[in-house]
């Protein structure tokens, strides 16, 4: 199930700017309907600002209008061109973070061993040779590796990591 980025902030924006039903917003954002109702009533002490899904290319105005006209219709998340474009961009990694790449590779191999090597290369910006040496335990720093999430290390964003993991479940 694909969810929008920042679901609660997206829900706040949809509540404030559309006439969608609470159940439509809850289904789209993956949030319980009671939480949507409490956000709309102001029961939750939330100073969160709404996040516009149209500007973020997650929804179109036509899709919102379609669902406003039919209360039983469900909002459809726009195709994830954003994530596909992210994978095509080359990223510069500062020298200080380059030495953290083996830890990130070890984390991915430990928790998601079925991620293809090409996806790891794209996500972290490493080579297949480095991945193979860590898999085979022949890497020069194998004894000092501490598996850490690449998102925590700052080698990728949470959204990019989630996209690679969700791509696994789709296959």
């Amino acid at each position: 199930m694909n969810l929008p980025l920042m679901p609660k902030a997206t829900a706040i924006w949809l509540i404030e700017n559309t006439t969608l039903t609470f159940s439509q917003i809850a289904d789209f954002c993956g949030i319980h309907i009671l939480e949507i109702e409490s956000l709309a009533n102001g029961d939750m002490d939330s100073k969160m600002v709404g996040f516009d899904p149209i500007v973020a290319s997650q929804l179109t105005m036509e899709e919102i209008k379609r669902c406003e006209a039919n209360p039983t219709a469900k909002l459809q998340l726009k195709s994830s061109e954003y994530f596909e474009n992210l994978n095509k961009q080359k990223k510069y990694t500062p020298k200080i973070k380059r030495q953290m790449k083996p830890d990130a590779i070890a984390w991915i191999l430990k928790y998601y061993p079925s991620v293809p090597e090409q996806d790891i290369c794209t996500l972290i910006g490493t080579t297949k040779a480095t991945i193979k040496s860590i898999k085979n335990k022949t890497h020069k720093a194998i004894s000092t590796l501490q598996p850490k999430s690449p998102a925590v290390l700052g080698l990728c964003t949470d959204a990019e990591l989630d996209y690679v993991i969700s791509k696994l479940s789709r296959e």
Side-chain angles (χ1 to χ4, degrees):
M1 178 175 166
N2 290 338
L3 296 176
L5 295 175
M6 302 189 331
K8 192 178 278 189
T10 301
I12 290 171
W13 188 91
L14 290 170
I15 291 167
E16 293 173 351
N17 297 294
T18 66
T19 59
L20 295 168
T21 64
F22 291 158
S23 62
Q24 287 174 314
I25 296 171
D27 287 340
F28 179 69
C29 295
I31 300 173
H32 196 275
I33 192 167
L34 293 176
E35 191 171 353
I36 298 293
E37 289 176 9
S38 65
L39 283 171
N41 295 333
D43 294 342
M44 295 180 74
D45 185 31
S46 176
K47 294 182 171 84
M48 187 179 294
V49 178
F51 179 71
D52 188 349
I54 297 169
V55 172
S57 296
Q58 297 176 354
L59 272 178
T60 60
M61 199 60 189
E62 293 79 28
E63 180 70 12
I64 292 173
K65 296 284 185 208
R66 180 185 69 83
C67 290
E68 284 177 334
N70 181 4
T72 59
K74 292 189 177 195
L75 286 167
Q76 296 295 316
L77 192 63
K78 198 172 162 186
S79 68
S80 57
E81 296 170 13
Y82 170 77
F83 296 112
E84 292 167 9
N85 291 337
L86 280 177
N87 290 338
K88 293 177 184 173
Q89 297 174 356
K90 283 202 169 199
K91 296 182 271 182
Y92 172 75
T93 307
K95 281 186 176 182
I96 193 113
K97 289 190 177 183
R98 289 181 202 158
Q99 61 194 4
M100 298 177 191
K101 287 182 180 184
D103 292 337
I105 296 167
W107 185 86
I108 292 173
L109 293 176
K110 180 177 180 181
Y111 294 105
Y112 302 100
S114 57
V115 172
E117 289 180 359
Q118 183 58 45
D119 287 347
I120 297 172
C121 291
T122 306
L123 183 68
I124 297 176
T126 187
T127 63
K128 288 184 179 181
T130 305
I131 296 168
K132 285 181 182 174
S133 69
I134 293 172
K135 270 186 186 177
N136 299 335
K137 300 192 185 316
T138 58
H139 191 269
K140 62 183 176 185
I142 195 72
S143 61
T144 60
L145 287 185
Q146 297 175 345
K148 292 181 186 165
S149 169
V152 171
L153 295 173
L155 297 171
C156 67
T157 64
D158 283 328
E160 292 170 325
L161 183 61
D162 289 342
Y163 177 71
V164 169
I165 294 168
S166 68
K167 202 164 90 171
L168 255 181
S169 63
R170 280 185 265 148
E171 295 171 356

